[in-house]
């Protein structure tokens, strides 16, 4: 099986280039398996991974131009299998990118805004099950930035005009969160909620299968419209 | 406040051989302020490194590290945190997974606690002190988790009522603690976080730890953190255990290579608990996600009824499930395999022909059934799934005193002080934070009377030379190859079914690797920038030392205890082995000795 891997060392190379490898294929081979095979047996390539299962988000890259998580994406026996770094993020080395422009913002968004700490009684009180069922799936977001890399609006306008789906999911989570007291609707609108064209690309590339991005966007839009923020 | 300054030493002094000047640092002239001065230097000879001064240095920002950082900030101390992974994405805590959090709810006396680490070999002084340190509100993880910006702990989806799995006067356990939110809060604490930075050694001056040497992976530049107290929170060093195609037979993180445990070992301190691991069952196929419970399908002790051997014997059935803890669970499977019930891969099966099995495997695995259908086209319903024992945690930590201070090095604390988990073989999301918080409370007392001596540059030079000498090697295997050898040999010796022949073979291979492979292990990549060959080589020294300690301690213990089963010594032998095993490192020789269990009132 043919696999081409992006190589780039900023201390030497002017720009990234591709190096081609021949990898023995087996059924259900993941992209991560192919990379580990190459690095172990053929030549050094630099990539990052940790959990081997869609939870740490560190193996985000692109296969034949489509952003994906290497650990849960299959290579094709007769495909081109061109592996490049996650589009739209500065390359550190080969397939490793710097995602902090998104991930450090997500960390800030995630900080729950509250005047006073929660008491045990508040925690034990029931919450609206509908809200729980909406918030729950968003916790599975790995913050991998695959959706942000795939989002056509982010690609066209940049993160300043639209923070992109990774950050918007974090805003959505805190919007649903019954314990959060921040104004997350304003945050979403300022983040460019209405620039999103609702194309659903984010959902199609996301491996946290329980996240339904469009329904989150719809809830945030409805809340913004109700408050005349649209 | 920590200060940052720069020091220069001559490179030529450090590494023997003139060729040294052409590798490593001179190639890095385009990167960052640290290396800019190099370009100004016509000889390209000087090396520079950043120095950070602080009260408390915390190595590893996992669950233990974050709790330690909070405790240090609460005590008004300056803190520097070193983290190997990207901030928020390192180690086990940097996985975003649905945790089961459990804790002892009220103010029970420690010896009645149902904390999972309390067993016959636990260091009772550590357990008692750490347990009593975390009282009242602190002990209630619900309050803690929810106020650290967690999501919502598990609720009944129909009523919205909080829905614990365990709810007894003594113990409480609930799903849906997503650890990553703890790391989110770290940024707000005002601590200095040095991420993508691997701590390579502790600095020991006159028997006192005065800080840490480290390497910034993206640039390959050296960092020195000078601290009055250092807290090691580097997790379970489980990355030494076997190999499939993308990881060892562990769901733990590649960041957790036991670097500081091994460093401390080489400084002459004893390790304890090396022979004990914690295991669950996980799928072999598809191979790419074997040993990843975030996308794999497997079983733990909650699913015993549906586990069978290759002949279709449901060997757990008929057992008293109330006595089934993780230890008995693993040991029973290991015994079944020893008696010929194992598959070719030394696995067993989970029988999914009845729908109840799906309910029993627990939420984390259930979540992956749909993923398998979508990504691999595999539907496990109605099948028997082959699963193997993988280690998700392990013990094997520096022997520490009752304050979690490492014995032999003052000022160095370890949240996983040797013996803290006894035969349980590792930590939980409750224990690591509790010990992190406790260790810092003791460190704060300790530093009251401590002032930092001047930095001994010879120590920094020696560490620089040790790390950079790796670029000089030629003609050997790449570090990745050597690592696979270490992992496979370690698995041979330390898998739960432990035959003496396998253990001896594993140990012989580890000794061979030390002698033949390590001295000529050769980097395939000579760039200083994000050089994963270099990182792998540095970590291999640590993995090898710990693998050998684990293998030798396992062979030394001539009985069956904890998760493992030894066919040649098939029963627990309290008369001879109600003790811990200490391992010592002496110039590459690793030896074992029996050590008394530390009792609370001793
Ligand atoms: C997949 C998985 C699921 C689990 N599920 C549960 C559960 O549901 N409930 C439960 O109670 N327990 C569970 N456990 C156990 C529990 O998660 C761990 O005991 C706990 O996370 C350990 O915390 P820690 O701080 O010791 O280690 P970690 O959280 O792993 O932190 C160690 C940190 O040190 C860093 N580090 C390592 N070496 C270096 C170095 N040289 N320099 C700098 N930084 C370094 C790592 O990057 C990491 O951030 C699970 C474990 C695993 C692996
Ligand atoms: S929403 Fe999905 S694709 Fe986007 S960052 Fe989260 S896990 Fe990744
Ligand atoms: S739906 Fe919106 S956020 Fe998602 S990819 Fe399309 S434009 Fe981007
Ligand atoms: S390795 Fe963690 S998401 Fe792929």
């Amino acid at each position: 099986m043919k696999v081409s891997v992006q190589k780039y060392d900023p201390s030497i190379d002017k720009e990234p280039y591709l190096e081609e490898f021949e990898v023995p294929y087996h059924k259900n081979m993941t992209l991560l398996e192919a990379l580990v095979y190459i690095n172990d047996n053929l030549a050094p390539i630099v990539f990052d991974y940790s959990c081997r299962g869609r939870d740490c988000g560190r193996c985000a890259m692109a296969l034949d131009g489509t952003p994906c998580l290497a650990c849960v994406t299959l290579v094709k026996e007769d495909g081109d299998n061109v592996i490049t770094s996650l589009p739209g993020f500065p390359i550190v080395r080969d397939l490793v990118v710097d995602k902090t422009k998104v991930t450090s913002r997500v960390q800030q968004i995630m900080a729950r805004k509250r005047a006073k700490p929660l008491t045990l009684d508040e925690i034990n009180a029931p919450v609206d099950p509908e809200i729980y069922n909406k918030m729950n799936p968003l916790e599975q977001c790995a913050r991998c930035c695959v959706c942000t890399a795939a989002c056509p609006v982010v690609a066209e306008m940049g993160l300043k005009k639209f923070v992109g789906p990774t950050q918007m999911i974090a805003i959505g989570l805190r919007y649903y969160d019954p314990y959060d007291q921040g104004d997350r609707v304003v945050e979403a609108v300022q983040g460019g909620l209405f620039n999103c064209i609702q194309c659903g690309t984010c959902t199609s590339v996301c491996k946290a299968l329980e996240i339904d991005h469009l329904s989150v966007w719809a809830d945030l839009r409805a809340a913004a419209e109700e408050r005349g923020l649209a | 406040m920590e200060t940052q300054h720069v020091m220069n030493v001559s490179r030529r002094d450090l590494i023997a051989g003139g060729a040294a000047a052409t590798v490593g640092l001179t190639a890095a002239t385009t990167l960052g302020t640290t290396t800019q001065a190099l370009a100004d230097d016509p000889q390209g000879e000087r090396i520079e490194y950043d120095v950070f001064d602080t009260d408390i240095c915390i190595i590893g920002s996992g669950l233990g590290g974050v709790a330690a950082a909070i405790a240090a900030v609460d005590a008004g101390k300056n803190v520097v945190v070193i983290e190997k992974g990207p901030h928020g994405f390192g180690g086990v805590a940097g996985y975003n997974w649905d945790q089961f959090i459990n804790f002892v709810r009220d103010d029970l006396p420690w010896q009645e606690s149902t904390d999972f680490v309390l067993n016959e070999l636990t260091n009772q002084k550590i357990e008692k002190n750490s347990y009593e340190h975390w009282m009242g509100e602190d002990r209630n993880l619900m309050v803690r988790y929810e106020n650290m910006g967690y999501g919502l702990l598990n609720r009944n989806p129909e009523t919205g009522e909080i829905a614990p799995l365990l709810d007894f006067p003594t113990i409480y356990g609930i799903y849906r603690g997503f650890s990553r939110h703890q790391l989110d809060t770290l940024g707000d604490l005002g601590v200095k976080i040095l991420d993508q930075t691997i701590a390579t050694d502790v600095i020991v001056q006159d028997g006192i730890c005065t800080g840490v040497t480290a390497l910034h992976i993206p640039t390959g530049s050296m960092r020195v953190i000078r601290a009055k107290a250092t807290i090691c929170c580097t997790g379970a060093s489980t990355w030494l255990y076997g190999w499939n195609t993308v990881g060892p037979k562990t769901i733990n993180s590649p960041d957790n290579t036991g670097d500081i445990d091994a460093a401390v070992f080489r400084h002459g301190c004893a390790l304890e608990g090396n022979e004990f691991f914690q295991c669950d069952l996980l799928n072999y196929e598809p191979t790419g996600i074997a040993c990843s419970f975030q996308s794999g399908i497997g079983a733990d002790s909650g699913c015993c009824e549906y586990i069978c051997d290759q002949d279709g014997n449901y060997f757990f059935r008929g057992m008293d499930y109330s006595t089934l803890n993780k230890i008995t669970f693993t040991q029973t499977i290991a015994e079944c395999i020893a008696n010929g019930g194992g598959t070719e891969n030394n696995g067993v099966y989970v029988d999914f022909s009845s729908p109840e099995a799906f309910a029993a495997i627990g939420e984390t695995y259930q979540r992956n059934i749909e993923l398998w259908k979508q990504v691999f086209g595999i539907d496990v319903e109605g099948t028997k799934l082959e699963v193997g024992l993988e280690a998700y945690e392990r013990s094997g930590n520096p022997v520490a005193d009752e304050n979690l201070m490492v014995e032999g090095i003052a000022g160095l604390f370890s949240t996983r002080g040797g013996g803290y988990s006894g035969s349980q073989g590792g930590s939980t999301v409750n224990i690591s934070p509790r010990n992190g918080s406790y260790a810092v409370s003791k460190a704060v007392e300790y530093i009251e009377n401590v002032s930092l001596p001047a930095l001994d540059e010879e120590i920094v030079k020696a560490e620089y030379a040790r790390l950079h000498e790796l670029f000089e090697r030629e003609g050997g295997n790449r570090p990745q190859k050597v690592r696979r050898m270490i992992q496979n040999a370690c698995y041979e010796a330390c898998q739960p079914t432990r035959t003496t022949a396998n253990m001896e073979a594993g140990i012989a291979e580890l000794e061979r690797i030390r002698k033949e492979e390590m001295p000529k292990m050769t980097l395939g990549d000579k760039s200083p920038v994000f050089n994963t060959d270099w990182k792998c080589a540095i970590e291999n020294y640590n993995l090898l030392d710990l693998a050998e300690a684990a293998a030798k301690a396992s062979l030394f213990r001539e009985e069956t205890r904890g998760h493992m089963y030894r066919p040649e010594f098939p029963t627990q032998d309290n008369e001879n082995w109600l003790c811990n095993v200490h391992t010592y490192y002496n110039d590459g020789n690793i030896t074992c000795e029996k050590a008394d269990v530390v009792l609370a009132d001793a």
Side-chain angles (χ1 to χ4, degrees), chain A residues 99-178:
Chain A
K99 293 194 282 194
T100 49
K101 65 182 175 186
V102 174
T103 53
S104 59
R105 282 290 304 136
V106 170
Q107 282 163 355
Q108 288 160 5
I109 294 165
M110 282 294 187
R112 190 183 264 152
K113 295 192 170 68
R114 277 189 68 83
K116 274 196 234 144
L118 283 155
T119 64
L120 190 55
D121 284 346
E122 282 171 298
I123 294 164
N124 273 318
V127 299
D128 180 346
E130 198 192 334
I131 287 179
Y132 173 68
N133 292 326
K134 284 186 172 189
M135 177 175 168
N136 218 355
L138 307 195
E139 286 290 1
Q140 302 286 2
C141 171
R143 309 182 192 178
C144 64
C145 300
V146 162
C147 54
T148 297
C151 172
V153 175
V154 171
E156 199 193 303
M157 296 180 141
L159 289 167
K160 287 218 165 67
K161 293 251 168 63
F162 179 44
V163 296
T166 309
Q167 290 183 59
M168 201 55 84
I169 284 294
I171 295 171
L173 188 148
R174 287 296 173 231
Y175 163 68
Y176 292 132
D177 181 355

Side-chain angles (χ1 to χ4, degrees), chain B residues 117-136:
Chain B
V117 296
L118 187 60
N119 57 61
E120 77 287 358
L121 298 189
T122 306
N123 181 319
Q124 294 185 357
K125 286 197 166 159
I126 294 176
E127 175 62 8
K128 177 176 187 290
N129 289 358
S130 162
Y131 183 90
E132 289 178 349
H133 164 75
W134 211 337
M135 297 294 276

Side-chain angles (χ1 to χ4, degrees), chain A:
Chain A
M1 180 186 61
K2 222 169 59 181
V3 178
S4 299
V5 180
Q6 171 182 303
K7 299 279 296 168
Y8 178 61
D9 180 344
S11 71
I12 304 168
D13 305 318
K14 283 213 174 65
E15 52 191 50
Y17 60 96
L18 289 176
E19 199 171 322
E20 200 177 300
F21 299 97
E22 192 56 39
V23 174
Y25 176 81
H26 65 75
K27 194 168 172 244
N28 280 330
M29 186 178 216
T30 64
L31 176 44
L32 186 59
E33 282 185 292
L35 290 174
V36 170
Y37 179 86
I38 294 168
N39 191 38
D40 274 12
N41 299 291
L42 306 177
I45 48 173
V46 179
F47 57 101
D48 193 26
Y49 75 108
S50 177
C51 72
R52 298 92 77 207
R54 65 165 167 164
D55 268 9
C56 71
R58 282 166 65 168
C59 68
M61 52 186 75
L63 176 62
D64 296 328
T66 306
C68 67
L69 289 175
C71 61
V72 284
T73 301
L74 300 186
V75 282
K76 286 189 217 75
E77 188 173 11
D78 51 4
D80 291 336
N81 300 315
V82 175
I83 309 174
T84 47
S85 58
L86 195 67
F89 292 87
I91 308 170
V92 177
R93 177 89 197 265
D94 295 357
L95 298 170
V96 175
V97 294
D98 179 359
K99 293 194 282 194
T100 49
K101 65 182 175 186
V102 174
T103 53
S104 59
R105 282 290 304 136
V106 170
Q107 282 163 355
Q108 288 160 5
I109 294 165
M110 282 294 187
R112 190 183 264 152
K113 295 192 170 68
R114 277 189 68 83
K116 274 196 234 144
L118 283 155
T119 64
L120 190 55
D121 284 346
E122 282 171 298
I123 294 164
N124 273 318
V127 299
D128 180 346
E130 198 192 334
I131 287 179
Y132 173 68
N133 292 326
K134 284 186 172 189
M135 177 175 168
N136 218 355
L138 307 195
E139 286 290 1
Q140 302 286 2
C141 171
R143 309 182 192 178
C144 64
C145 300
V146 162
C147 54
T148 297
C151 172
V153 175
V154 171
E156 199 193 303
M157 296 180 141
L159 289 167
K160 287 218 165 67
K161 293 251 168 63
F162 179 44
V163 296
T166 309
Q167 290 183 59
M168 201 55 84
I169 284 294
I171 295 171
L173 188 148
R174 287 296 173 231
Y175 163 68
Y176 292 132
D177 181 355
Y179 301 149
D180 186 84
Q181 296 166 341
D183 193 339
R184 304 298 186 161
V185 179
V186 168
E187 199 174 344
V189 172
Q190 284 172 350
L193 175 68
F194 286 94
N195 289 333
C196 158
I197 55 172
Q198 304 187 77
C199 64
T201 306
C202 41
T203 304
S204 68
V205 295
C206 176
K207 281 297 194 294
L209 301 175
E210 43 282 270
I211 300 180
D212 177 5
H213 301 70
L214 293 182
S215 75
V216 180
W217 308 166
D219 283 350
L220 287 168
R221 277 171 183 253
E225 274 155 11
E226 200 178 309
R227 287 175 48 189
L229 295 169

Side-chain angles (χ1 to χ4, degrees), chain B residues 59-65 82-85 90-95 97-102 175 197-200 233-236 251-253 255-260 278 293-294 392-393 415-416 426-430 432:
Chain B
I59 315 174
S61 60
L63 297 184
I82 312 175
E83 168 54 47
K84 195 189 277 186
V92 180
Y95 300 175
W97 93 99
D98 185 350
Q99 295 175 338
F100 182 65
I101 64 166
N102 59 73
Y175 268 109
T197 300
I198 170 174
T200 61
C233 311
T234 52
I251 48 170
N252 215 294
S253 160
D255 295 321
N256 292 352
T257 49
D259 306 312
I260 300 306
Q278 275 175 11
F293 92 151
Q294 301 83 354
Y392 62 94
E393 266 275 326
T415 50
R416 304 166 70 102
S427 168
T428 69
V429 302
N430 175 17
S432 273

Side-chain angles (χ1 to χ4, degrees), chain B residues 106-125:
Chain B
D106 58 14
D107 294 344
L108 275 186
W110 72 276
Q111 65 276 39
E112 286 169 37
S113 92
T114 24
D115 262 358
F116 294 93
V117 296
L118 187 60
N119 57 61
E120 77 287 358
L121 298 189
T122 306
N123 181 319
Q124 294 185 357
K125 286 197 166 159

